[in-house]
Amino acid sequence: MGKQNSKLKPEVLDDLRSNTDFSDRELQEWYKGFLQDCPSGHLTVEEFKKIYGNFFPYGDASKFAEHVFRTFDANNDATIDFREFIIALSVTSRGALENKLKWAFSMYDLDGNGYISRGEMLEIVQAIYKMVGTVMKMPEDESTPEKRTDKIFRQMDRNADGKLSLPEFIEGAKSDPSIVRLLQCDPSGAVAQEPSS
């Protein structure tokens, strides 16, 4: 009985194939794994934080995981279903740079007003620093979340209005790959583990 539920229906597979960069086989594998980790088919923020935390054993990933969760939860129902999970995973692990940057922008734009304020950036950067703990050695000009946020704003805030628009964010990241490193510490690697063959 449980076996039957671990296969995606053809119409669901069609939808996911057109909205992700995964093959049918990969989608079925991810679905099977998703149901093993989450038999209800819906992942709560607490479950997500627990899973996410496993990838960062030397730091506290809970706050950053909450931000990732919010960005994955496309319909804002406080759970992530398989469709939301696999579409976000496709963008973060296989999407074009511009799509990854739009996704990252939506995570940093905490209030959803179309801009990233210094405060919003600082909140995410603080969460990243807590997550990586003392494992990553930061250069002196990035030794605190405040310094890192200042550095990002110096490089990206072209019109010096104290907030980043989506075009500034994308242009800044594309023109200087080190900005992408500044923004991420590669958090997508935490949820972008390929299924085992």
Side-chain angles (χ1 to χ4, degrees):
M1 184 169 95
K3 202 75 166 142
Q4 219 169 352
N5 294 340
S6 65
K7 279 265 192 247
L8 289 165
K9 293 182 174 120
E11 63 274 14
V12 173
L13 201 53
D14 288 344
D15 170 52
L16 295 177
R17 190 183 314 110
S18 64
N19 285 293
T20 71
D21 291 319
F22 291 114
S23 70
D24 288 10
R25 187 188 72 72
E26 289 171 318
L27 289 166
Q28 293 288 8
E29 283 293 311
W30 275 112
Y31 186 61
K32 206 163 85 179
F34 186 84
L35 289 180
Q36 282 174 344
D37 290 340
C38 191
S40 71
H42 286 69
L43 198 55
T44 66
V45 69
E46 291 307 316
E47 292 166 328
F48 189 79
K49 287 190 324 191
K50 187 175 173 218
I51 292 167
Y52 212 91
N54 291 334
F55 294 98
F56 298 94
Y58 301 107
D60 177 3
S62 60
K63 194 66 183 166
F64 189 77
E66 287 174 15
H67 293 300
V68 174
F69 182 90
R70 174 182 43 79
T71 312
F72 271 50
D73 183 17
N75 66 0
N76 297 314
D77 69 351
T79 66
I80 298 173
D81 62 23
F82 181 69
R83 185 177 192 279
E84 289 170 318
F85 171 78
I86 203 69
I87 288 173
L89 185 65
S90 179
V91 169
T92 58
S93 67
R94 297 192 175 172
L97 177 61
E98 187 141 337
N99 290 337
K100 287 180 180 182
L101 292 172
K102 285 178 182 173
W103 188 90
F105 184 89
S106 69
M107 184 174 70
Y108 282 81
D109 181 14
L110 299 177
D111 63 9
N113 71 351
Y115 295 94
I116 301 170
S117 69
R118 189 175 291 276
E120 288 171 323
M121 179 67 72
L122 181 59
E123 183 170 328
I124 301 285
V125 172
Q126 285 171 332
I128 291 171
Y129 275 57
K130 280 177 74 175
M131 179 175 66
V132 298
T134 57
V135 175
M136 289 185 71
K137 183 77 179 111
M138 301 295 182
E140 179 50 39
D141 66 342
E142 299 170 25
S143 61
T144 67
E146 293 77 11
K147 286 182 179 181
R148 188 178 200 144
T149 299
D150 288 345
K151 185 174 181 178
I152 291 168
F153 266 77
R154 273 194 312 277
Q155 291 177 277
M156 286 185 141
D157 189 11
R158 299 274 187 236
N159 63 1
D161 64 354
K163 59 187 180 185
L164 301 178
S165 65
L166 179 61
E168 280 177 317
F169 187 81
I170 290 174
E171 184 185 319
K174 283 182 168 178
S175 68
D176 183 356
S178 72
I179 289 178
V180 177
R181 184 192 62 75
L182 282 175
L183 291 170
Q184 290 185 289
C185 293
D186 198 24
S188 65
V191 286
Q193 303 283 317
E194 292 290 326
S196 54
S197 305

